[in-house]
Amino acid sequence: MAVGFMVSVRLGDGNVDPAGLLAEVAPLLDRHRIDVDRKGTLLLFAADEPETLAVLAEPLAAWWQGLAPTGAVLRFVGPDGVNEISYCRPDVAVGLVRNTIVTGSGRLYGPGEAPGPLRRAAAGLVRRVRTGFTASEVRTVQEKGLCCVAVAGRELDDAPRSLEFQAFDPSDEDYDPDDDEGLCLVTERHAPSAGGLVGVRLTGRALRLRVTPAAAAELGLPSTRLVIRLRLSAADHDDLRAGLRRVCALGRAAASGARLDLG
């Protein structure tokens, strides 16, 4: 089952010609069996798995960041619609783009295969009454001093959901104390909140979080309590526990005072 995403870089009133990017990523496309379809200034990348597409994160981030001082916007289009990134710190740009690719890529539907109105309506109702989602995968990344662990899944209408825990590692050579705001939470919409975690509890079936009212507002959550149901393998569950322990013990994240119960 092919998955993919569309991407472009908007600059001013128009999009940037992607010819240079295509030439740069051509070896990656061949090596990882990634298909590309160009429609004007819009590129559609497709592969068997989102993780395969993640190899494009570095060249995409470099393309965008090379234009970012002039106000360029990186624009992704996936199952959940349009996702635009107008700014991020250069040292975390690759990680942010990689996370967007993995969480934002979706199935490429054939004629009549996309979720219909009833399925989308049901998903909308579930989102109104349930503050969390069901996670089916775990990802851990450490890059340039930033340590991340994320849980991700999809809803009834195939919309991606994710929550990422981020903290800087003071022992890393790229560590900059001026950038360290403690433990940061980031949603699939890239809404960040630093220092707002009150408590986290991990069991075999769920990850439960409590955040401050200010953090709930920053993250776009309707409640200060978030329950993420877990549909993980035993190995992924162990990776999640180990990742959370590591992230929450790093530098200023450890001084946040959040209550941890990781089993």
Side-chain angles (χ1 to χ4, degrees):
M1 180 188 300
V3 296
F5 67 93
M6 290 184 286
V7 66
S8 63
V9 166
R10 191 180 76 243
L11 186 59
D13 294 330
N15 289 342
V16 178
D17 187 334
L21 174 70
L22 283 174
E24 183 176 346
V25 301
L28 288 175
L29 303 182
D30 291 338
R31 189 180 313 140
H32 296 278
R33 298 182 180 179
I34 297 173
D35 295 326
V36 61
D37 184 18
R38 176 175 177 175
K39 299 182 183 299
T41 58
L42 188 66
L43 299 177
L44 169 62
F45 293 103
D48 290 336
E49 299 289 341
E51 292 293 346
T52 301
L53 294 169
V55 301
L56 299 171
E58 189 168 348
L60 276 173
W63 181 43
W64 165 51
Q65 286 286 296
L67 299 162
T70 60
V73 175
L74 188 62
R75 192 172 190 264
F76 286 87
V77 182
D80 63 335
V82 178
N83 192 346
E84 294 187 342
I85 310 175
S86 58
Y87 171 78
C88 77
R89 295 201 317 269
D91 57 316
V92 299
V94 175
L96 177 59
V97 173
R98 179 182 292 113
N99 183 67
T100 302
I101 291 173
V102 173
T103 60
S105 297
R107 178 183 175 188
L108 300 179
Y109 296 109
E113 292 182 336
L118 289 178
R119 192 171 170 187
R120 293 185 184 278
L125 289 174
V126 169
R127 280 192 283 270
R128 291 181 185 178
V129 300
R130 194 174 75 184
T131 58
F133 60 95
T134 299
S136 56
E137 60 178 305
V138 175
R139 298 187 302 276
T140 57
V141 177
Q142 180 152 356
E143 188 171 54
K144 293 187 177 181
L146 185 67
C147 184
C148 310
V149 58
V151 288
R154 290 188 177 274
E155 297 192 334
L156 290 173
D157 55 357
D158 213 20
R161 297 290 304 277
S162 69
L163 182 70
E164 187 168 333
F165 299 76
Q166 300 180 349
F168 282 101
D169 184 353
S171 67
D172 192 278
E173 62 180 8
D174 292 316
Y175 177 73
D176 183 350
D178 292 335
D179 288 335
D180 193 349
E181 296 180 305
L183 183 65
C184 185
L185 302 176
V186 184
T187 68
E188 72 281 351
R189 297 286 187 179
H190 308 298
S193 178
L197 183 65
V198 176
V200 56
R201 183 182 180 213
L202 176 65
T203 65
R205 302 175 67 179
L207 179 65
R208 301 174 184 273
L209 287 84
R210 190 157 59 93
V211 299
T212 63
E218 290 173 337
L219 295 168
L221 301 176
S223 169
T224 57
R225 296 181 183 273
L226 178 66
V227 179
I228 301 173
R229 293 156 183 82
L230 302 177
R231 191 178 297 157
L232 304 173
S233 66
D236 282 344
H237 196 280
D238 290 343
D239 286 347
L240 175 59
R241 179 184 290 108
L244 287 173
R245 281 179 175 163
R246 173 166 173 71
V247 168
C248 293
L250 289 174
R252 294 178 184 170
S256 67
R259 181 176 179 181
L260 306 178
D261 181 1
L262 303 178

